[in-house]
Amino acid sequence: MSLEKQPSCDDPFDNLMPVEQARERLTQALRVVDQTETVALIDAHGRVLSDDVVSPVNVPGFANSAMDGYAISSASIPASGVATLQVLGTAWAGKIYAGRVQAGQAVRIFTGGLIPEGADTVVIQEHVVLNDDQVTIDSEVTPLRNVRLAGEDVKINQSVLLAGTQLEAAELGVLSSLGINHVDVYRRICVAFFTTGDELCALDKYSGTSLEPGMLFDSNRYILYGMLSRLNVEIVDLGIIGDNAEDTRTAMQQAADVADVVISSGGVSAGDADFVTQVFHELGDVGFWKIAMRPGRPLAFGEIGNAFFFGLPGNPVAVMVTFLQFVQPSIKRVMGLKASEPFTIEATCLSKLRKSLGRVEYQRGVISNDERGNLTVSSTGKQGAGRISSMSAANCLIVVAADVAGVEPGDLVEVQPFQGLFG
Ligand code: AMP
Ligand code: MG
């Protein structure tokens, strides 16, 4: 792979690479981690299946009642819809009624109880009148009513979950319903990160009195830690690296030795203090892309040793935006997950948004339902890439396409919500 040499300047916008092209290049370059392991289901949450799971059983395993009521043969009820039946016994959930139900007979049954032989329908208890051991039914009865059939959820030999599926609560539910207690998953990947900048002060090195002039607190390590924590990867924090070639080289080599994916922040522009750019040229097969987006224009991507490397910009908002657009989907691919670009929905924008032509803008927004239930989104206000508080105020990114000059109140816009339902 020689990303450096590939031109990024086929587009008309000032030699910038379109976001879509950056995504395609990532897709081509990334590989799934190739080691797998077998883990107990209880330890498998968040892991990614490396093989399809074929069901060894039917679920449910037997026909059972969906309601509390009486199991009968539908033939017992005449066309007039009224009949009195003899109650033979009870089918509880987990305690079967072993006998057979004949015409004119019924078995008291509870939800989950096995449908006794001879019965083909369940009449709910609200539709019967009970007198000692007799029930009178005067409602319409149809075969299979309130009956859950064997295999209606999952059929035996069905491929129920495919390789590349991440195991969340629902998948653990499916696998446990099949009696599967061990699964084959991809190895958990390791992601190492560091931040760069002589101006950065680590919170644990801070005396608590005042920062030296020109210094600021390192936010990006906390941001990266927070975003990586949602991905079920092993995380290695290599700290703050000063703006010099030697420390940058050491950090990079260490990171590439231990991790499958390495992320840095800062130092990826072409300035004198941008040592990430300089050192990565020596160390690996790394490309520096100027992407037609804001925030987050400079991005380095490539391979160093066996690790994929992402050099993100320094501004905290740019770190978050580039992470969400490129790094998170890439990590998911390396983990073995099927492609997953950020999820988008449409909403009516209530704010006027200014932007320049020729680049995609990811503006911070707040999405909500208006009184009629329609999705609307408002800007959080000023959009500087250093304003990390704007990310905290936001619950989504408003994505405004490169060829759009601005947005007027009432326009439909594309929105990427931050919240996953289960994540
Ligand atoms: P750089 O890309 O290294 O030139 O950084 C761009 C801007 O982001 C500068 O104003 C930096 O001070 C700021 N910045 C870089 N790294 C961090 C960090 N870890 N936490 C907060 N701000 C940062
Ligand atoms: Mg810097």
Side-chain angles (χ1 to χ4, degrees):
M1 183 179 58
S2 183
L3 297 159
E4 175 76 37
K5 293 182 204 90
Q6 293 172 15
S8 62
C9 47
D10 301 334
D11 56 291
F13 299 118
D14 198 21
N15 292 347
L16 300 183
M17 185 191 293
V19 168
E20 283 316 314
Q21 193 178 334
R23 289 211 166 105
E24 274 165 33
R25 292 215 182 157
L26 291 173
T27 307
Q28 281 162 16
L30 294 163
R31 294 178 306 273
V32 180
V33 63
D34 50 12
Q35 295 99 326
T36 62
E37 59 185 335
T38 303
V39 297
L41 194 61
I42 194 68
D43 299 320
H45 185 252
R47 303 295 294 271
V48 181
L49 284 178
S50 58
D51 280 315
D52 295 354
V53 173
V54 175
S55 178
V57 292
N58 278 320
V59 181
F62 53 91
N64 67 88
S65 181
M67 300 291 278
D68 291 348
Y70 291 84
I72 65 167
S73 160
S74 52
S76 294
I77 309 297
S80 70
V82 183
T84 296
L85 312 178
Q86 183 78 23
V87 180
L88 300 174
T90 303
W92 308 87
K95 221 187 288 171
I96 69 167
Y97 176 79
R100 197 184 160 82
V101 179
Q102 316 270 10
Q105 298 178 330
V107 165
R108 178 77 170 119
I109 194 163
F110 293 98
T111 305
L114 180 144
I115 304 287
E117 238 181 280
D120 64 358
T121 189
V122 172
V123 181
I124 62 172
Q125 60 197 19
E126 290 80 358
H127 289 172
V128 307
V129 177
L130 180 65
N131 258 320
D132 294 330
D133 58 353
Q134 294 200 318
V135 276
T136 302
I137 295 168
D138 65 356
S139 66
E140 199 186 308
V141 169
T142 46
L144 301 183
R145 196 71 179 272
N146 303 315
V147 174
R148 302 178 190 140
L149 293 173
E152 75 173 25
D153 184 5
V154 178
K155 292 212 168 21
I156 189 165
N157 295 328
Q158 178 187 336
S159 285
V160 66
L161 295 176
L162 300 181
T165 303
Q166 190 162 31
L167 302 177
E168 305 287 0
E171 288 72 31
L172 297 187
V174 170
L175 291 165
S176 55
S177 80
L178 308 179
I180 290 178
N181 197 22
H182 290 88
V183 280
D184 294 333
V185 293
Y186 289 109
R187 169 171 71 75
R188 203 156 174 250
I189 70 163
C190 175
V191 180
F193 64 88
F194 59 91
T195 55
T196 69
D198 282 342
E199 75 279 30
L200 300 180
C201 174
L203 294 186
D204 54 0
K205 304 264 164 53
Y206 178 54
S207 63
T209 46
S210 69
L211 275 171
E212 299 289 319
M215 300 289 284
L216 52 103
F217 295 114
D218 175 14
S219 306
N220 290 344
R221 269 166 53 235
Y222 291 86
I223 289 171
L224 289 169
Y225 177 79
M227 291 192 296
L228 289 168
S229 297
R230 293 181 65 117
L231 287 174
N232 197 36
V233 295
E234 207 181 299
I235 300 170
V236 177
D237 177 359
L238 293 169
I240 299 172
I241 305 303
D243 286 321
N244 64 76
E246 200 185 325
D247 290 353
T248 307
R249 197 178 293 119
T250 311
M252 192 62 228
Q253 260 155 354
Q254 264 182 6
D257 284 348
V258 297
D260 301 289
V261 175
V262 177
I263 305 169
S264 68
S265 84
V268 282
S269 301
D272 288 344
D274 291 318
F275 289 94
V276 173
T277 318
Q278 296 173 26
V279 170
F280 294 157
H281 270 302
E282 308 163 21
L283 281 184
D285 198 358
V286 176
F288 291 87
W289 300 346
K290 278 197 286 176
I291 301 182
M293 66 188 284
R294 180 183 165 143
R297 198 165 85 137
L299 179 78
F301 170 72
E303 289 182 59
I304 294 181
N306 290 324
F308 291 109
F309 163 69
F310 292 86
L312 307 185
N315 277 308
V317 178
V319 167
M320 293 197 81
V321 169
T322 47
F323 185 94
L324 291 172
Q325 303 312 311
F326 302 118
V327 184
Q328 191 196 66
S330 299
I331 290 176
K332 287 182 172 178
R333 275 175 204 272
V334 177
M335 289 168 71
L337 274 160
K338 295 268 173 285
S340 66
E341 301 303 347
F343 170 70
T344 60
I345 51 179
E346 263 191 350
T348 303
C349 190
L350 302 180
S351 312
K352 182 180 176 72
L353 307 180
R354 296 174 199 284
K355 80 175 273 288
S356 311
L357 271 174
R359 64 189 179 204
V360 183
E361 287 203 12
Y362 297 87
Q363 301 207 6
R364 272 68 73 208
V366 178
I367 191 166
S368 58
N369 288 113
D370 68 10
E371 64 286 350
R372 279 193 255 124
N374 299 319
L375 281 178
T376 59
V377 65
S378 309
S379 167
T380 57
K382 290 240 163 37
Q383 296 288 317
R387 292 175 183 255
I388 188 59
S389 62
S390 72
M391 279 304 279
S392 172
N395 63 8
C396 66
L397 291 174
I398 308 171
V399 186
V400 193
D403 59 356
V404 173
V407 172
E408 292 300 321
D411 286 356
L412 274 182
V413 288
E414 198 185 315
V415 166
Q416 293 178 357
F418 290 160
Q419 295 294 323
L421 288 178
F422 297 102

